[in-house]
Amino acid sequence: MNVRMNEAWKELLQPEFEKPYFEALVRFVRSEYATHTVFPAGGNIFRALDKCPPESVKVVIIGQDPYHGEGQANGLCFSVADGVKFPPSLRNIFKEIADDLGKPIPASGNLDRWAEQGVLLLNATLTVRAHEAASHAGRGWEVFTDAIVRTLSERKSGIVYMLWGAYAQKKGAIVNPDSNLVLKCAHPSPLSAHNGFFGCRHFSKANRYLLSQGKEEIDW
Protein backbone atom coordinates (compact mmCIF):
# COMPACT_ATOMS: atom_id res chain seq x y z
CA MET A 1 0.00 0.00 0.00
CA ASN A 2 1.21 3.52 -0.73
CA VAL A 3 1.44 5.04 2.75
CA ARG A 4 3.33 8.33 3.13
CA MET A 5 5.61 7.84 6.11
CA ASN A 6 9.21 8.03 7.27
CA GLU A 7 11.03 5.35 5.29
CA ALA A 8 12.58 3.61 8.29
CA TRP A 9 9.21 3.28 9.99
CA LYS A 10 7.64 2.24 6.70
CA GLU A 11 10.09 -0.63 6.39
CA LEU A 12 9.54 -1.81 9.96
CA LEU A 13 5.74 -1.60 9.71
CA GLN A 14 5.38 -2.99 6.18
CA PRO A 15 3.77 -6.25 7.41
CA GLU A 16 0.92 -4.21 8.92
CA PHE A 17 0.11 -2.52 5.61
CA GLU A 18 -0.67 -5.87 4.02
CA LYS A 19 -3.15 -6.95 6.66
CA PRO A 20 -6.91 -6.76 6.03
CA TYR A 21 -7.54 -4.49 9.02
CA PHE A 22 -5.19 -1.84 7.63
CA GLU A 23 -6.73 -1.94 4.17
CA ALA A 24 -10.16 -1.47 5.76
CA LEU A 25 -8.77 1.36 7.91
CA VAL A 26 -7.39 3.18 4.87
CA ARG A 27 -10.75 2.93 3.10
CA PHE A 28 -12.54 4.28 6.17
CA VAL A 29 -10.12 7.18 6.69
CA ARG A 30 -10.23 8.21 3.02
CA SER A 31 -14.03 8.20 3.14
CA GLU A 32 -14.06 10.28 6.34
CA TYR A 33 -11.72 12.93 4.91
CA ALA A 34 -13.86 13.09 1.78
CA THR A 35 -17.17 13.53 3.61
CA HIS A 36 -16.40 15.18 6.99
CA THR A 37 -14.01 17.59 8.64
CA VAL A 38 -11.29 15.39 10.09
CA PHE A 39 -8.19 16.23 12.15
CA PRO A 40 -5.26 16.43 11.81
CA ALA A 41 -4.70 17.57 8.21
CA GLY A 42 -4.11 14.56 6.00
CA GLY A 43 -0.41 15.28 5.61
CA ASN A 44 0.04 15.16 9.41
CA ILE A 45 -1.56 11.78 10.13
CA PHE A 46 1.82 10.06 10.51
CA ARG A 47 3.71 13.15 11.65
CA ALA A 48 4.73 11.61 14.99
CA LEU A 49 6.62 8.95 13.04
CA ASP A 50 8.04 11.43 10.55
CA LYS A 51 9.40 13.71 13.26
CA CYS A 52 10.90 10.87 15.31
CA PRO A 53 12.37 7.99 13.25
CA PRO A 54 12.84 4.65 15.04
CA GLU A 55 16.60 4.98 15.48
CA SER A 56 16.07 8.29 17.31
CA VAL A 57 13.46 7.19 19.85
CA LYS A 58 14.50 7.78 23.46
CA VAL A 59 11.12 8.50 25.08
CA VAL A 60 7.59 7.37 24.20
CA ILE A 61 4.51 9.29 25.36
CA ILE A 62 1.15 7.71 24.50
CA GLY A 63 -2.01 9.74 24.01
CA GLN A 64 -5.50 8.55 23.13
CA ASP A 65 -6.82 10.41 20.08
CA PRO A 66 -6.09 13.77 18.43
CA TYR A 67 -7.59 17.02 19.65
CA HIS A 68 -10.93 17.45 17.91
CA GLY A 69 -11.17 21.25 18.12
CA GLU A 70 -10.53 23.49 15.14
CA GLY A 71 -6.83 24.10 14.50
CA GLN A 72 -5.56 22.09 17.46
CA ALA A 73 -4.30 18.66 16.32
CA ASN A 74 -0.95 18.66 14.55
CA GLY A 75 -0.11 14.95 14.48
CA LEU A 76 1.81 14.79 17.78
CA CYS A 77 -0.05 13.77 20.93
CA PHE A 78 -0.70 16.64 23.36
CA SER A 79 0.89 19.13 20.92
CA VAL A 80 -0.68 22.14 19.21
CA ALA A 81 0.65 24.49 16.54
CA ASP A 82 2.38 27.75 17.38
CA GLY A 83 -0.11 30.39 18.46
CA VAL A 84 -2.84 27.93 19.51
CA LYS A 85 -4.15 28.22 23.07
CA PHE A 86 -2.91 25.41 25.32
CA PRO A 87 -5.54 22.68 25.87
CA PRO A 88 -5.96 21.86 29.57
CA SER A 89 -3.90 18.64 29.54
CA LEU A 90 -0.97 20.36 27.83
CA ARG A 91 -1.16 23.25 30.30
CA ASN A 92 -0.91 20.73 33.15
CA ILE A 93 2.05 19.02 31.49
CA PHE A 94 3.89 22.33 31.37
CA LYS A 95 2.96 23.02 35.02
CA GLU A 96 4.50 19.71 36.06
CA ILE A 97 7.66 20.40 34.05
CA ALA A 98 7.92 23.81 35.75
CA ASP A 99 7.57 22.22 39.20
CA ASP A 100 9.86 19.30 38.37
CA LEU A 101 12.66 21.06 36.51
CA GLY A 102 12.16 24.74 37.29
CA LYS A 103 11.62 25.57 33.62
CA PRO A 104 9.29 28.44 32.70
CA ILE A 105 6.02 27.75 30.90
CA PRO A 106 6.89 28.03 27.17
CA ALA A 107 5.26 30.47 24.80
CA SER A 108 4.26 27.73 22.36
CA GLY A 109 2.55 24.38 22.78
CA ASN A 110 4.22 23.03 19.64
CA LEU A 111 6.10 19.92 20.79
CA ASP A 112 8.12 19.52 17.61
CA ARG A 113 11.11 20.43 19.77
CA TRP A 114 10.56 17.29 21.83
CA ALA A 115 10.02 15.02 18.82
CA GLU A 116 13.24 16.28 17.24
CA GLN A 117 15.13 15.19 20.37
CA GLY A 118 13.76 11.65 20.25
CA VAL A 119 10.36 11.84 21.97
CA LEU A 120 7.77 9.76 20.10
CA LEU A 121 4.45 11.52 20.73
CA LEU A 122 2.09 8.75 19.69
CA ASN A 123 -1.70 8.86 19.81
CA ALA A 124 -3.42 5.48 19.88
CA THR A 125 -5.88 6.72 17.26
CA LEU A 126 -4.36 8.94 14.59
CA THR A 127 -7.47 10.68 13.21
CA VAL A 128 -10.75 12.08 14.57
CA ARG A 129 -13.86 13.86 13.27
CA ALA A 130 -14.16 17.50 14.20
CA HIS A 131 -15.86 17.98 17.58
CA GLU A 132 -16.47 14.23 18.01
CA ALA A 133 -14.02 12.76 20.49
CA ALA A 134 -13.07 9.11 19.86
CA SER A 135 -15.10 9.09 16.63
CA HIS A 136 -12.39 7.06 14.86
CA ALA A 137 -11.76 4.69 17.75
CA GLY A 138 -12.21 0.99 17.11
CA ARG A 139 -11.56 1.29 13.37
CA GLY A 140 -8.09 -0.21 13.33
CA TRP A 141 -5.79 2.58 14.40
CA GLU A 142 -5.29 0.99 17.81
CA VAL A 143 -4.09 -2.25 16.21
CA PHE A 144 -1.62 -0.29 14.10
CA THR A 145 -0.26 1.78 16.97
CA ASP A 146 -0.01 -1.36 19.13
CA ALA A 147 2.26 -2.67 16.38
CA ILE A 148 4.43 0.45 16.69
CA VAL A 149 4.83 -0.05 20.45
CA ARG A 150 5.48 -3.77 19.97
CA THR A 151 8.06 -3.13 17.25
CA LEU A 152 9.92 -0.68 19.46
CA SER A 153 9.81 -2.94 22.50
CA GLU A 154 11.15 -5.89 20.50
CA ARG A 155 13.95 -3.99 18.77
CA LYS A 156 15.12 -1.38 21.26
CA SER A 157 15.82 -1.20 24.98
CA GLY A 158 16.75 1.68 27.22
CA ILE A 159 13.65 3.70 26.25
CA VAL A 160 11.56 5.74 28.68
CA TYR A 161 7.83 5.04 28.39
CA MET A 162 5.57 7.66 30.01
CA LEU A 163 2.18 6.03 30.50
CA TRP A 164 -0.32 8.57 31.76
CA GLY A 165 -3.70 7.15 32.70
CA ALA A 166 -5.23 3.68 32.48
CA TYR A 167 -5.58 3.74 28.69
CA ALA A 168 -1.90 4.41 28.05
CA GLN A 169 -0.87 1.95 30.73
CA LYS A 170 -2.87 -0.82 29.09
CA LYS A 171 -1.36 0.02 25.69
CA GLY A 172 2.16 -0.01 27.14
CA ALA A 173 1.72 -3.25 29.07
CA ILE A 174 3.73 -5.10 26.42
CA VAL A 175 6.89 -3.14 27.30
CA ASN A 176 9.52 -4.96 29.37
CA PRO A 177 10.18 -2.84 32.49
CA ASP A 178 13.46 -4.66 33.11
CA SER A 179 15.09 -3.30 29.96
CA ASN A 180 13.31 0.08 29.78
CA LEU A 181 12.09 2.71 32.23
CA VAL A 182 8.30 2.49 32.48
CA LEU A 183 6.79 5.48 34.28
CA LYS A 184 3.11 5.38 35.23
CA CYS A 185 0.78 7.95 36.76
CA ALA A 186 -2.62 9.59 36.33
CA HIS A 187 -3.52 11.37 33.10
CA PRO A 188 -2.74 15.13 32.96
CA SER A 189 -6.40 15.95 32.24
CA PRO A 190 -7.94 18.37 34.76
CA LEU A 191 -10.21 15.50 35.81
CA SER A 192 -7.30 13.41 37.05
CA ALA A 193 -4.10 15.46 37.23
CA HIS A 194 -4.43 15.96 40.99
CA ASN A 195 -4.63 12.19 41.47
CA GLY A 196 -0.95 11.65 40.78
CA PHE A 197 0.14 13.43 37.63
CA PHE A 198 1.11 16.54 39.55
CA GLY A 199 4.20 15.58 41.49
CA CYS A 200 5.03 12.54 39.34
CA ARG A 201 8.42 14.04 38.40
CA HIS A 202 8.50 11.97 35.22
CA PHE A 203 10.58 14.50 33.34
CA SER A 204 13.52 14.55 35.75
CA LYS A 205 13.27 10.76 36.17
CA ALA A 206 13.40 10.34 32.40
CA ASN A 207 16.48 12.53 32.09
CA ARG A 208 18.33 10.74 34.89
CA TYR A 209 17.62 7.42 33.23
CA LEU A 210 18.72 8.62 29.79
CA LEU A 211 22.00 9.88 31.26
CA SER A 212 22.50 6.50 32.95
CA GLN A 213 22.11 4.90 29.51
CA GLY A 214 24.75 7.17 28.02
CA LYS A 215 22.17 9.24 26.12
CA GLU A 216 21.59 12.97 26.04
CA GLU A 217 18.78 14.17 28.26
CA ILE A 218 15.70 15.86 26.80
CA ASP A 219 15.41 19.63 26.96
CA TRP A 220 11.81 19.66 28.10
Side-chain angles (χ1 to χ4, degrees):
M1 301 192 70
N2 183 24
V3 177
R4 289 185 299 164
M5 185 185 298
N6 171 278
E7 285 301 318
W9 277 117
K10 195 171 185 178
E11 184 176 341
L12 287 176
L13 297 169
Q14 188 62 40
E16 298 303 307
F17 304 147
E18 308 304 326
K19 294 178 179 178
Y21 89 85
F22 195 84
E23 295 185 4
L25 172 62
V26 168
R27 288 194 300 271
F28 168 74
V29 170
R30 284 176 176 162
S31 173
E32 286 286 289
Y33 274 91
T35 56
H36 296 85
T37 301
V38 177
F39 301 129
N44 287 337
I45 293 174
F46 298 110
R47 192 158 174 267
L49 303 180
D50 288 333
K51 297 293 288 186
C52 189
E55 65 272 14
S56 301
V57 177
K58 296 192 290 189
V59 178
V60 177
I61 299 177
I62 296 176
Q64 197 155 348
D65 68 343
Y67 296 126
H68 54 82
E70 194 72 40
Q72 291 183 310
N74 71 355
L76 308 179
C77 74
F78 296 107
S79 176
V80 292
D82 293 330
V84 176
K85 182 181 177 182
F86 299 168
S89 292
L90 181 58
R91 188 182 313 117
N92 287 340
I93 289 168
F94 288 148
K95 284 181 181 177
E96 175 59 23
I97 291 171
D99 289 344
D100 187 10
L101 299 173
K103 294 176 69 71
I105 303 294
S108 172
N110 188 336
L111 302 183
D112 282 7
R113 60 187 182 275
W114 293 5
E116 290 161 0
Q117 296 177 78
V119 182
L120 180 62
L121 294 157
L122 182 68
N123 275 316
T125 302
L126 299 186
T127 55
V128 67
R129 271 192 203 178
H131 314 300
E132 295 184 40
S135 50
H136 287 186
R139 294 288 188 160
W141 278 131
E142 297 91 340
V143 180
F144 179 68
T145 52
D146 279 349
I148 294 171
V149 177
R150 184 173 63 251
T151 297
L152 274 178
S153 66
E154 290 172 353
R155 291 174 176 268
K156 293 192 70 169
S157 58
I159 293 177
V160 180
Y161 290 83
M162 295 185 179
L163 307 179
W164 301 334
Y167 186 93
Q169 288 163 25
K170 182 178 179 181
K171 197 167 188 71
I174 190 174
V175 176
N176 183 351
D178 296 326
S179 54
N180 301 278
L181 177 63
V182 179
L183 300 173
K184 300 178 182 179
C185 70
H187 193 277
S189 159
L191 298 174
S192 55
H194 289 281
N195 294 328
F197 179 78
F198 289 138
C200 70
R201 302 294 188 259
H202 279 188
F203 304 95
S204 59
K205 290 175 182 177
N207 279 352
R208 283 197 297 272
Y209 179 78
L210 292 173
L211 289 172
S212 78
Q213 297 290 306
K215 301 175 183 179
E216 283 191 28
E217 59 186 8
I218 303 298
D219 180 6
W220 300 104

